[in-house]
Amino acid sequence: MKNLFVGNMSFQTTEADLRTLFEPFGPIARIHVVNDRETGQPRGFAFVEMANDDDAAKAMTGLNGKEVAGRALRVNEATAKPERGGPRTNTGFAPRNGSGGKRPGGGGGSRGRGGFSTEDYSGSARQPREPRW
């Protein structure tokens, strides 16, 4: 089984449209048109899983660049989604210039760009603020 990515689709392209495009190349195991989570509208790409690898290769060569509903389809083999989630390691702000908060000409002091301190105050007690009147 081979999973194909179909990109640059018209937002009006349906699962039935994709089925009619891909069926001449071989049996289709599954079609998934990706929709936006919040709006439910199509996002313009889909995944087509074909049962036979040879049929999938024929579909890639036959449909890549084919114009459907005014747009040239992009059909290629789908790659694995990068791993997301897990523990977050950097919860603070990173310095913009990558120099660890010190300015490259000397004289930078303990503050980086933007006025944020790079020192860790997580273990100390918070000082009370004076009223602003």
Side-chain angles (χ1 to χ4, degrees):
M1 250 194 240
K2 191 163 275 203
N3 198 10
L4 302 178
F5 171 81
V6 183
N8 199 30
M9 293 184 346
S10 167
F11 294 115
Q12 285 76 34
T13 305
T14 63
E15 185 177 320
D17 297 334
L18 289 173
R19 188 167 298 281
T20 57
L21 278 173
F22 280 86
E23 274 184 340
F25 295 99
I28 299 169
R30 186 174 78 97
I31 295 177
H32 176 66
V33 177
V34 180
N35 293 327
D36 188 88
R37 287 184 196 151
E38 294 175 10
T39 64
Q41 299 296 317
R43 292 192 55 197
F45 65 95
F47 295 96
V48 177
E49 196 171 300
M50 298 195 74
N52 188 343
D53 291 355
D54 294 333
D55 294 340
K58 290 176 192 169
M60 277 192 283
T61 57
L63 294 175
N64 192 29
K66 179 178 172 121
E67 192 165 314
V68 176
R71 302 191 68 154
L73 289 182
R74 194 177 98 207
V75 182
N76 53 21
E77 189 173 347
T79 57
K81 187 175 179 181
E83 192 65 35
R84 294 183 68 177
R88 294 184 67 175
T89 56
N90 183 11
T91 57
F93 294 99
R96 290 184 186 170
N97 60 6
S99 63
K102 301 260 185 203
R103 290 199 175 123
S110 64
R111 290 178 176 239
R113 294 180 70 177
F116 294 105
S117 173
T118 58
E119 298 177 33
D120 184 19
Y121 294 107
S122 59
S124 62
R126 184 174 178 143
Q127 298 293 318
R129 298 183 80 178
E130 296 211 12
R132 299 186 75 193
W133 59 74

